[in-house]
Amino acid sequence: MEGTPEAEPMQVPAGAKQVGEVRVRWAWAEAAVWTERMLTALETGVKGGVWFSLIDKVYAMRNLLAAFAEVKANRGAAGVDHQTIDMYEATLVRNLERLSSMLEDGSYRPQAIRRAWIPKPGKRSEKRPLGIPTVRDRVVQAALRHVLEPIFERDFADGSYGFRPGRGAKDALRRVDQMLKSGRTWVVDADIRSYFDTIPHGPLMGLVGGKVADGRVLSLTELFLKQQVMETAASWTPDAGSPQGAVLSPLLSNIYLDPLDHAMAKAGYEMVRYADDFVVLCDSRSEAEQALESIQRWMTGAGLTLHPDKTRIVDATERGGFDFLGYHFECGKRWPSRKSMGKLHAVLRAKTRRTNGESLDAVIHNVNRTLRGWFAYFQHSLANTFPTADGWVRMRLRSILRKRRGGRGCGRGSDHQRWPNAYFAEHGLYSLVAAYAAARQSVRR
């Protein structure tokens, strides 16, 4: 079998699907790696459940070219070598041929990761670390993920939604909403402390090795886990974690938490997880307490820790509620969380500074891009969310106009008569209220 010469596929059962149907089901899998024969073996299972001889799929030029296309589409900054995507692309074939040879002969070693600190959404004073590999290393990680992802995706639990093909935050939110409406309103709202920085390398590699027996692929994966991290003049080699910002990290993070997903499902708990953010929806407080105890035991055994101040049990039918993936759930309703509103305000503040030298139409055009994307995600919020947000945006725009007339401070008072709501509508400002009304009308139809 291609990719697994030492692992013969199990016999295809009677009534096997027609040729081509397998490819449709795995349309997201990289065609440069996964032939229909390999996909069929993936579905039916390989002997012992372990894949051999995969490294040649990683360094194949077709795969590296596909990996570079993915890295280019995702853009991103240069790493420690200061080489941008455009610079790498200028001699792309030569670069990829050299990279393929190094991967084939085993001489490839990843360069250090450049650590950058970016503001936490909605929190100006707090920052989180972001690891930025070089373009070359991002290409290799993407090529490696092309090979590994289908192998693990095949058996991932249904309750996991983050960083998975064909799934996303909206699917997770829809599931939470369904469970709340079915009466599972006691919620374990859990938070793993510094998850991406604390994943133990040994147990993680044990899980990867449970399905992949190619020693060179395992060694390559481990090299990325142990990449040197460079920050200003200092550097160090991590002994735990998988850096946020690395192409391979989302897959590895899901692999490590997958046993928890299956353990909770087997115990009958309804857990919805998106990366390291998850909730468990229960019928009663006692069930929620039991679920939390089970999670804490698992975390201890896995070398992880629940954040004591951010992990709690909540009755979603009472005031207080809980946040999940940007939404706040409370008393049968949902709306953007305080953190989400803070993030929106932070983005719009940067686009509507009073000293902005652009024309009003240019400012509005830029603001509209943010508002449209925000509404696409938060359109299922409580109705009164939108007039409040619209009013805040118009206040920012009035402040710009007020400044240009020689005034000071925020748009207020007579500014509402000088520049009424209709004035901004005439200039094409996107209205969240109007968008919400149109969406509701569409649902009713």
Side-chain angles (χ1 to χ4, degrees):
M1 181 190 65
E2 269 187 86
T4 59
E6 299 177 49
E8 293 299 322
M10 299 176 182
Q11 183 177 359
V12 178
K17 306 299 182 186
Q18 297 296 316
V19 174
E21 289 187 17
V22 172
R23 170 59 65 189
V24 171
R25 285 193 298 279
W26 292 88
W28 59 267
E30 179 51 57
V33 175
W34 290 89
T35 64
E36 284 195 12
R37 187 179 178 188
M38 287 180 67
L39 289 175
T40 299
L42 181 68
E43 285 205 343
T44 57
V46 293
K47 188 176 181 181
V50 180
W51 290 74
F52 294 79
S53 301
L54 294 169
I55 189 64
D56 60 312
K57 305 295 184 292
V58 176
Y59 63 69
M61 277 295 291
R62 285 184 63 209
N63 187 21
L64 292 176
L65 283 165
F68 174 78
E70 183 179 302
V71 169
K72 181 180 178 180
N74 291 332
R75 296 177 290 183
V80 295
D81 61 355
H82 306 294
Q83 187 174 46
T84 65
I85 291 173
D86 289 341
M87 292 165 63
Y88 193 86
E89 189 177 23
T91 53
L92 181 62
V93 173
R94 187 192 315 161
N95 286 334
L96 294 185
E97 286 177 344
R98 184 185 306 119
L99 196 54
S100 177
S101 296
M102 293 170 68
L103 289 166
E104 184 175 7
D105 64 26
S107 62
Y108 169 82
R109 294 294 181 275
Q111 296 169 283
I113 292 175
R114 179 169 68 86
R115 171 159 284 194
W117 291 86
I118 61 174
K120 284 191 174 182
K123 297 182 179 180
R124 299 184 199 176
S125 60
E126 294 185 39
K127 295 185 177 183
R128 66 180 179 88
L130 185 68
I132 305 174
T134 62
V135 174
R136 182 197 74 160
D137 292 342
R138 297 206 294 271
V139 170
V140 177
Q141 287 196 37
L144 180 58
R145 183 175 58 78
H146 289 167
V147 173
L148 294 178
E149 189 169 29
I151 294 172
F152 290 92
E153 177 65 29
R154 175 185 184 271
D155 298 318
F156 277 159
D158 288 338
S160 167
Y161 292 88
F163 308 122
R164 294 186 59 189
R167 290 178 163 227
K170 289 185 178 180
D171 300 302
L173 289 166
R174 192 175 297 114
R175 184 60 178 167
V176 169
D177 191 53
Q178 291 170 350
M179 290 298 97
L180 290 172
K181 288 177 178 175
S182 73
R184 296 194 176 193
T185 56
W186 283 95
V187 181
V188 178
D189 182 13
D191 183 274
I192 306 175
R193 176 180 274 169
S194 303
Y195 174 59
F196 280 88
D197 292 333
T198 58
I199 303 173
H201 289 169
L204 172 59
M205 288 307 302
L207 291 172
V208 177
K211 292 181 182 292
V212 174
D214 187 321
R216 293 177 66 186
V217 168
L218 294 176
S219 296
L220 183 59
T221 303
E222 193 163 21
L223 281 175
F224 285 123
L225 288 175
K226 297 186 180 301
Q227 269 181 282
Q228 189 180 40
V229 178
M230 185 170 293
E231 184 176 5
T232 60
S235 64
W236 70 94
T237 301
D239 54 12
S242 185
Q244 295 188 64
V247 177
L248 203 56
S249 289
L251 174 61
L252 296 177
S253 71
N254 272 337
I255 289 172
Y256 198 65
L257 288 179
D258 185 57
L260 173 63
D261 297 335
H262 284 286
M264 296 300 286
K266 185 177 180 180
Y269 296 118
E270 183 64 44
M271 186 169 88
V272 180
R273 182 175 67 80
Y274 191 96
D276 58 335
D277 193 3
F278 64 91
V279 291
V280 184
L281 300 108
C282 304
D283 292 319
S284 64
R285 171 176 280 278
S286 62
E287 183 185 346
E289 290 171 346
Q290 292 168 8
L292 181 54
E293 289 177 7
S294 297
I295 294 169
Q296 288 172 327
R297 283 196 301 272
W298 189 91
M299 291 287 169
T300 299
L304 301 173
T305 306
L306 290 178
H307 198 298
D309 299 327
K310 297 181 181 180
T311 300
R312 60 203 182 107
I313 292 175
V314 176
D315 181 355
T317 65
E318 296 184 354
R319 290 181 63 84
F322 66 98
D323 295 346
F324 186 61
L325 298 182
Y327 273 92
H328 179 77
F329 293 83
E330 183 178 321
C331 299
K333 299 178 176 64
R334 59 171 162 164
W335 56 86
S337 67
R338 185 176 300 177
K339 182 177 179 180
S340 296
M341 291 305 300
K343 181 179 179 180
L344 174 66
H345 287 175
V347 172
L348 291 178
R349 278 193 189 95
K351 295 185 174 187
T352 57
R353 292 190 175 95
R354 286 192 288 273
T355 55
N356 192 307
E358 296 182 318
S359 69
L360 179 65
D361 287 345
V363 173
I364 287 176
H365 176 75
N366 200 13
V367 165
N368 284 350
R369 294 171 60 187
T370 297
L371 293 178
R372 286 192 179 95
W374 188 84
F375 180 77
Y377 188 78
F378 288 105
Q379 62 180 292
H380 302 291
S381 298
L382 204 60
N384 64 9
T385 299
F386 306 108
T388 303
D390 274 342
W392 189 88
V393 172
R394 288 192 295 265
M395 178 275 293
R396 296 288 301 179
L397 296 175
R398 288 187 181 105
S399 298
I400 294 176
L401 297 174
R402 182 184 180 91
K403 171 75 173 177
R404 291 176 181 178
R405 286 176 60 93
R408 301 175 64 183
C410 298
R412 60 185 184 275
S414 61
D415 294 336
H416 289 262
Q417 285 73 49
R418 186 175 292 116
W419 302 294
N421 296 353
Y423 175 83
F424 298 106
E426 290 170 3
H427 281 267
L429 179 63
Y430 185 79
S431 168
L432 296 171
V433 169
Y436 179 76
R440 295 308 95 195
Q441 183 65 29
S442 176
V443 169
R444 284 193 290 273
R445 283 201 300 267

